[in-house]
Amino acid sequence: MPDLATAPEVTALSADNPFAAPFTLPYGLPDFAAVRLEHFRPAVLAGMAAQRAEWEAIASDEALPNVANTLEALERSGEILRRTMVVLHTLAGSVGGDDLHALESEIAPLLAAHGDALYLDRRIFDRLESVANAAPLLDLDDETAWLLEQYRKTFVRAGIRLTDPEQEQLRALNARIVTLETEFSQRAVRSLVAGALPVHDPARLAGLDEGTVAALARNAVDRPDDAAGAGHLITLQLPTQQPLLARLSDRKLRGALLEASRTRGSGVDAESDTRGVLLELAKLRAERARLLGYEHHAAYIAEDGTALTAEAVRAMLERLAAPAARNARLEAAELRALLETDHPGGTLTAADWGFYSERLRKERFDLDDDVLRPYLELDRVLTDGVFHAATALFGITFHERPDLAGYTDGVRVWEVKEEDGSGLGLFVGDFYARAGKRGGAWMHSFVRQSRLLGRKPVVVNNLNITAPPPGEPTLLTWDEVRTCFHEFGHALHGLFSDVHYPTLSGTSVPRDFVEYPSQVNEMWMTDAAVVGRFARHHRTGEPLPQHLIDKLLALGAYGEGFATTEYLGAALLDQAWHRLTPGEVPTAPEEVEGFERAALDAAGVGLDLVPPRYRSTYFNHSFGGGYDAAYYSYIWSEVLDAETVEWFHHEAAQGADGGLNRAAGQRFREELLSRGFSRDPLASFRALRGRDADIAPLLARRGLAE
Ligand SMILES: [Zn+2]
């Protein structure tokens, strides 16, 4: 076995390795059936070696630097590595298993070092600088000029201007940071599993429907060790609040469930204690930011987004904090009154919130997930909801391709076609939860669209819907319907990408912009023409009664005080940890809780009744990497989302075809979705809207306006 700690030798990948050559399935869909575990390691090593050789050829090219021999050559490099990693990440995320996770942990620091090999290579940076200096003579098109600027920025942010000893220090920090991020993620998953709550007395499950009770019984059978002899096992979901808290009438059980959730990673058991890891991460990220010339990690991250500065992020979050907390307190007063009828003199706790909020929702809106679910069948939601809206707005159509296989049973593939019948790309749907699959919902790309490489997009949506017993329909909650629309908004961003360079393709936009198209797509689930179509009884085909639809639409800002406050709690924690200098990071695991408390109190969202959506010890967005110092992104992009929803309504009012306005859809596609990161994303927004975004529609939507 080669020594993984050093740069791998250039070795040819044996021809029987499926990653050795491009996949030949339609649209370059990976041939999962051909891939086995033992293919990954040699393909990753050979892929890194091949890309290093490609970079070396660019760096040592004697010809004058130009677009073709520098920018395009960079864009074309790394094919083997790319196709290997996309399959590895897909299987690790959606199928899981110790072998794949071990492989990911082993590879993470190698990949960090691999990135450093490019971005700390002064010869390549010098070539980019030469191209930039010659730019006036080269007559670059806008996208090429933008790409060049992005590359130069990435090199600078990655430390190209540091001295040799500083670069050595940086390489060490990068390697350690990714190792810790992987460690955090894996511990967070362990803590999620370990937090499962056995229930010995079935009477305590009062409030749950039969199907849910049966699912909890299946959990206990599937995981006898965790069930410890109990007949039912409640498994945990990622955020602090657990869905069952809304339905369990046993107050003590609710308390135990929330406690199991919020103490995850806090040293309940050593295996899943994340505190030491997160403290070291906060410190090392702060050190790296200092080394690169930034005040702290939050400043380093904000600069790479559309926010630009940590101060802008802070100002935005602080502006929302006080009105959100005020609304949450008003909501608490209403819930307290309800609790009083059940438990005279009782004190409302965080574990009661979901339960009484659900009761209030039922009383006020007469809405009940159990009443709605028979009308929300997955296939119908997709075909007559998600796909239908896309057809009406953009003219595209969906054709299932049962001849094309995903990576495991139940993964479905659709070919997406343009109005004229030509192929646009593939949409892959993996909707069901399974043991080993990571929690939550997400989109990613198997193939990124690029005209340079002649590629059309292949995009994937992952959800975690509990699979029904064989032969039964998949009935969704209203929230799961929202997730379908949301993730499909990301899918559209990938599918409509129409750019030259793969680096700028589709969803490769800054993190504080990427949620914008997906949030916009949620608007169609409540469009009268769409909901009237997909919400039909799975057995009778009867539409959801109009008075229920009216109530769904009337929900508006109900519960937004709580939702905004718990979100802001997490976003502010994420900022607080990453605004520290290295010396300010606490050193003892016991200090984590106190730090959290102080940070939340300082921001005015330290409400006991509304714990943050994620506490630090299981905040994978922040410490697993990916959304570190960037969890603010969701509300940041919601400003654009709320504006765009308003714009669609305005455009629809001009036309005759209801909210699903084909002309407006086309414009959204052309000015925004198709552009990917081929120009400044805020320029795309301005092209659509005719001006900069205003925060007012967001404040109105969340009930935060003064
Ligand atoms: Zn999203």
Side-chain angles (χ1 to χ4, degrees), residues 44 74 79 81 118 181 223 237 239 305 313 332 363 366 536:
V44 169
L74 285 170
E79 275 304 309
L81 186 60
L118 171 63
E181 287 172 349
R223 293 170 47 184
Q237 311 242 352
V313 174
E363 277 182 13
D366 193 22
R536 283 173 181 270

Tab-separated table of all heavy atoms in Angstrom, residues 44 74 79 81 118 181 223 237 239 305 313 332 363 366 536:
chain	number	residue	atom	x	y	z
A	44	VAL	N	-8.985	7.074	-5.951
A	44	VAL	CA	-8.699	8.372	-5.324
A	44	VAL	C	-7.217	8.691	-5.442
A	44	VAL	O	-6.820	9.805	-5.817
A	44	VAL	CB	-9.141	8.371	-3.842
A	44	VAL	CG1	-8.612	9.599	-3.127
A	44	VAL	CG2	-10.661	8.312	-3.744
A	74	LEU	N	-6.929	24.230	-16.139
A	74	LEU	CA	-7.319	23.991	-14.742
A	74	LEU	C	-8.731	23.408	-14.682
A	74	LEU	O	-9.010	22.481	-13.926
A	74	LEU	CB	-7.269	25.293	-13.939
A	74	LEU	CG	-5.884	25.817	-13.555
A	74	LEU	CD1	-5.994	27.225	-12.983
A	74	LEU	CD2	-5.202	24.881	-12.560
A	79	GLU	N	-10.374	14.863	-13.646
A	79	GLU	CA	-11.580	14.097	-13.993
A	79	GLU	C	-11.741	12.809	-13.180
A	79	GLU	O	-12.826	12.481	-12.714
A	79	GLU	CB	-11.559	13.750	-15.485
A	79	GLU	CG	-12.098	14.849	-16.347
A	79	GLU	CD	-13.511	15.245	-15.943
A	79	GLU	OE1	-14.367	14.363	-15.827
A	79	GLU	OE2	-13.738	16.447	-15.727
A	81	LEU	N	-10.507	11.994	-10.269
A	81	LEU	CA	-10.794	12.294	-8.869
A	81	LEU	C	-12.245	12.742	-8.705
A	81	LEU	O	-12.952	12.313	-7.795
A	81	LEU	CB	-9.842	13.383	-8.374
A	81	LEU	CG	-9.918	13.707	-6.887
A	81	LEU	CD1	-9.601	12.483	-6.039
A	81	LEU	CD2	-8.976	14.855	-6.533
A	118	LEU	N	-2.436	22.789	-5.146
A	118	LEU	CA	-2.759	23.737	-6.223
A	118	LEU	C	-2.660	25.172	-5.727
A	118	LEU	O	-1.932	25.986	-6.290
A	118	LEU	CB	-4.180	23.479	-6.752
A	118	LEU	CG	-4.704	24.546	-7.721
A	118	LEU	CD1	-3.863	24.604	-8.996
A	118	LEU	CD2	-6.167	24.298	-8.064
A	181	GLU	N	-13.153	18.024	11.567
A	181	GLU	CA	-14.524	18.153	11.057
A	181	GLU	C	-15.146	16.778	10.817
A	181	GLU	O	-16.300	16.532	11.169
A	181	GLU	CB	-14.538	18.981	9.757
A	181	GLU	CG	-14.304	20.459	10.012
A	181	GLU	CD	-14.112	21.277	8.738
A	181	GLU	OE1	-13.951	20.673	7.651
A	181	GLU	OE2	-14.104	22.519	8.821
A	223	ARG	N	-33.105	-2.527	16.459
A	223	ARG	CA	-31.952	-2.110	17.276
A	223	ARG	C	-32.108	-2.599	18.708
A	223	ARG	O	-32.263	-1.799	19.642
A	223	ARG	CB	-31.833	-0.579	17.224
A	223	ARG	CG	-31.456	-0.089	15.820
A	223	ARG	CD	-31.571	1.389	15.675
A	223	ARG	NE	-30.940	2.111	16.784
A	223	ARG	CZ	-30.980	3.431	16.923
A	223	ARG	NH1	-31.614	4.170	16.038
A	223	ARG	NH2	-30.388	4.009	17.943
A	237	GLN	N	-34.107	12.971	15.712
A	237	GLN	CA	-33.854	13.698	14.475
A	237	GLN	C	-32.807	14.774	14.756
A	237	GLN	O	-32.534	15.098	15.905
A	237	GLN	CB	-35.142	14.351	13.987
A	237	GLN	CG	-36.289	13.369	13.966
A	237	GLN	CD	-36.861	13.146	12.578
A	237	GLN	OE1	-36.504	13.828	11.635
A	237	GLN	NE2	-37.745	12.176	12.480
A	239	PRO	N	-32.384	18.285	14.492
A	239	PRO	CA	-32.492	19.517	15.288
A	239	PRO	C	-32.868	19.241	16.738
A	239	PRO	O	-33.203	18.111	17.091
A	239	PRO	CB	-33.633	20.286	14.597
A	239	PRO	CG	-33.904	19.580	13.318
A	239	PRO	CD	-33.460	18.163	13.510
A	305	GLY	N	-18.822	35.373	0.858
A	305	GLY	CA	-20.246	35.329	0.539
A	305	GLY	C	-20.701	36.651	-0.055
A	305	GLY	O	-19.879	37.530	-0.359
A	313	VAL	N	-23.257	40.667	8.728
A	313	VAL	CA	-23.988	39.504	9.231
A	313	VAL	C	-24.532	39.794	10.621
A	313	VAL	O	-25.703	39.564	10.929
A	313	VAL	CB	-23.076	38.263	9.267
A	313	VAL	CG1	-23.783	37.093	9.936
A	313	VAL	CG2	-22.620	37.886	7.857
A	332	ALA	N	-45.518	32.216	23.727
A	332	ALA	CA	-45.406	31.464	24.978
A	332	ALA	C	-46.593	31.759	25.890
A	332	ALA	O	-47.124	30.857	26.558
A	332	ALA	CB	-44.091	31.808	25.686
A	363	GLU	N	-56.650	24.122	17.166
A	363	GLU	CA	-57.800	24.919	17.585
A	363	GLU	C	-58.028	26.089	16.656
A	363	GLU	O	-59.148	26.365	16.243
A	363	GLU	CB	-57.578	25.458	19.003
A	363	GLU	CG	-57.929	24.443	20.072
A	363	GLU	CD	-57.744	25.024	21.463
A	363	GLU	OE1	-57.588	26.256	21.600
A	363	GLU	OE2	-57.743	24.223	22.424
A	366	ASP	N	-57.640	24.385	12.890
A	366	ASP	CA	-58.263	23.091	12.694
A	366	ASP	C	-57.467	22.262	11.690
A	366	ASP	O	-58.021	21.662	10.785
A	366	ASP	CB	-59.722	23.274	12.226
A	366	ASP	CG	-60.493	21.967	12.318
A	366	ASP	OD1	-60.069	21.100	13.092
A	366	ASP	OD2	-61.490	21.824	11.603
A	536	ARG	N	-54.700	15.395	-3.141
A	536	ARG	CA	-55.886	14.589	-3.417
A	536	ARG	C	-55.800	13.299	-2.624
A	536	ARG	O	-54.719	12.751	-2.433
A	536	ARG	CB	-55.971	14.259	-4.909
A	536	ARG	CG	-56.457	15.441	-5.706
A	536	ARG	CD	-56.391	15.205	-7.190
A	536	ARG	NE	-56.865	16.405	-7.868
A	536	ARG	CZ	-58.131	16.624	-8.202
A	536	ARG	NH1	-59.055	15.719	-7.959
A	536	ARG	NH2	-58.488	17.748	-8.781
